[in-house]
Every structure is written in structure tokens, then in C-alpha cells.
Amino acid sequence: MITEVLFPSSSPKTVMRVTQDMREDLNYWEAKFQEMNFPGMDLVEATAYPVSLLEKISRKKQYKRVKRDFIKYLIYNFTNDLRNAGLTDEDLFYFKKGILPENFNIHLKIPFDYTGNVDFSNMVLMQSRPYHEDIHRFMDMQMSGMDVGVIPEKIYIPVPTGKVYIPLTMYTGSGGKGKHDRSVFAGYSESAFEKLAQKTMRGAR
């Protein structure tokens, strides 16, 4: 039996009523995952680890700093992937200035409430519509019918692979824990990546 964890929910609820048995049924959510079609994503099981309100505010501030670094990291190391994701030359010009194109955002693969941190390994550039919206819709379905301020202890999350989400060139994965990041650090040495990633550590400026 899943223990419900008290924590403010930031996402709107859907009208679908989900029973406790449905929440615990991986097969049900794998079928829903395939039905909704998440190309190039894995279905990952995540366990709740709610953070305090102050910690959440701190992480959101950190996200703004790390987001700028992540955008620079992408433009100088994943230009081909950015083009394949649909960005134009004009988009890339503004991208270098830290301005995201319309209908694109930097998504946290695993939310704060489910052990997600603010670092490059947990970030991906993706289209807001329909893919980002569909991810949150899938998560919202699992919270449907729960009281306000309550989240499930376990949740299944569609997680994009790589640093730039290119839906037409990737496969659709299945359920499980600990799916690894298959992104390629194109033209980037391991030591250089580590130095850049250090900037994303908590408390870094």
C-alpha cells in the first residue's frame, strides 16, 4: 500500500479518477505510456522525497542560474541536435544570448519532489507543446482524485533521453528504475564536462 506524502502540489489535477490499485500497477501505466506515445523517452519509477518550502525556493533560484549555463553548454556542444530538434539559425542566434525560442523550455527530468536535483544530468531542452505538456499530463493522471497537498509516494515519469529532445530520432523505452542518461558529450572532454558541471552544484555561483 502506497503511503501518501503530504506536500503542496503545484500541478492542476485532471478529471480522471485514479484508484489506489491503479497507482501501484506498473503494467497499467506502461500501457498508458504506450497509448499516449512518448517517443525517445523511458518510463521511470520515482520515489517521493519532498523538500521543504524554503529548500524548494532555493532550488528554483539555483535553477535560474544553472539554466543559463545549460543553454550555453548546449549551443556550443549540441548545435546539430538543436537543429534536429527544430531550431532555426535565428533561434540559435538568440539561444546564444540565453533566450529560448518560442515553444521550447528547459525541463527537469525528475521533479524536486521526487529526488530531482538542479544539474545538467537532470535537464533537457524540449518543446513545450505537445511533449512537455504531455509529460505533466501523464504525471497529473496519477495524482487525480488525491486531496490537495498530497502526492503519491511512487510515481511513473516519462523521462526524455539526452540533453536535447529529438522525438523523431529516438526510441520509446519502458518502465523501470535508474535509466541511464544516453546523451553524448559531443566534442567535449570528460574533464571539461566535469568542470562545467561543477557550476551546477548546490551553492555554486
Side-chain angles (χ1 to χ4, degrees):
M1 184 68 67
I2 289 180
T3 302
E4 295 180 341
V5 181
L6 295 178
F7 193 76
S9 175
S10 59
S11 301
K13 301 296 187 297
T14 65
V15 296
M16 174 183 172
R17 181 82 186 182
V18 176
T19 66
Q20 187 71 12
D21 288 341
M22 290 166 64
R23 288 195 183 94
E24 298 180 13
D25 188 354
L26 171 59
N27 291 332
Y28 175 86
W29 294 109
E30 283 188 328
K32 183 64 68 174
F33 176 74
Q34 296 295 335
E35 176 188 322
M36 291 180 64
N37 188 24
F38 291 96
M41 299 192 200
D42 289 318
L43 186 62
V44 174
E45 178 186 316
T47 302
Y49 188 78
V51 297
S52 68
L53 180 58
L54 289 178
E55 177 66 12
K56 199 165 189 177
I57 292 173
S58 174
R59 291 191 186 186
K60 286 183 177 180
K61 290 180 179 179
Q62 182 190 10
Y63 168 77
K64 291 182 180 180
R65 297 194 305 269
V66 176
K67 177 181 175 181
R68 293 193 298 268
D69 293 334
F70 186 69
I71 290 173
K72 293 177 183 177
Y73 168 62
L74 292 181
I75 192 63
Y76 290 111
N77 296 277
F78 290 88
T79 303
N80 289 338
D81 285 349
L82 294 173
R83 293 183 188 279
N84 290 335
L87 275 68
T88 65
D89 288 339
E90 182 179 4
D91 292 334
L92 295 179
F93 173 79
Y94 287 103
F95 205 90
K96 290 180 180 179
K97 298 178 180 295
I99 301 174
L100 291 176
E102 184 178 358
N103 198 38
F104 280 87
N105 67 29
I106 303 299
H107 169 66
L108 291 176
K109 298 179 181 183
I110 304 296
F112 297 145
D113 301 341
Y114 289 90
T115 73
N117 290 316
V118 184
D119 56 52
F120 285 8
S121 65
N122 194 37
M123 302 174 82
V124 59
L125 176 81
M126 68 185 311
Q127 295 179 36
S128 301
R129 299 178 302 275
Y131 305 111
H132 186 246
E133 290 181 352
D134 283 347
I135 288 174
H136 284 279
R137 185 159 63 94
F138 187 88
M139 294 171 62
D140 288 344
M141 286 179 181
Q142 299 170 70
M143 301 181 189
S144 177
M146 300 182 75
D147 293 337
V148 175
V150 176
I151 63 172
E153 182 182 2
K154 180 175 66 177
I155 194 171
Y156 301 105
I157 305 173
V159 176
T161 60
K163 298 290 186 288
V164 179
Y165 180 56
I166 310 171
L168 297 182
T169 61
M170 295 181 180
Y171 79 106
T172 298
S174 188
K177 280 191 174 182
K179 294 288 185 178
H180 66 282
D181 187 349
R182 282 179 289 278
S183 58
V184 176
F185 308 138
Y188 223 65
S189 69
E190 189 69 26
S191 60
F193 177 77
E194 288 178 358
K195 289 179 181 178
L196 186 57
Q198 285 175 2
K199 298 177 65 177
T200 74
M201 298 294 287
R202 189 171 303 174
R205 299 293 183 203

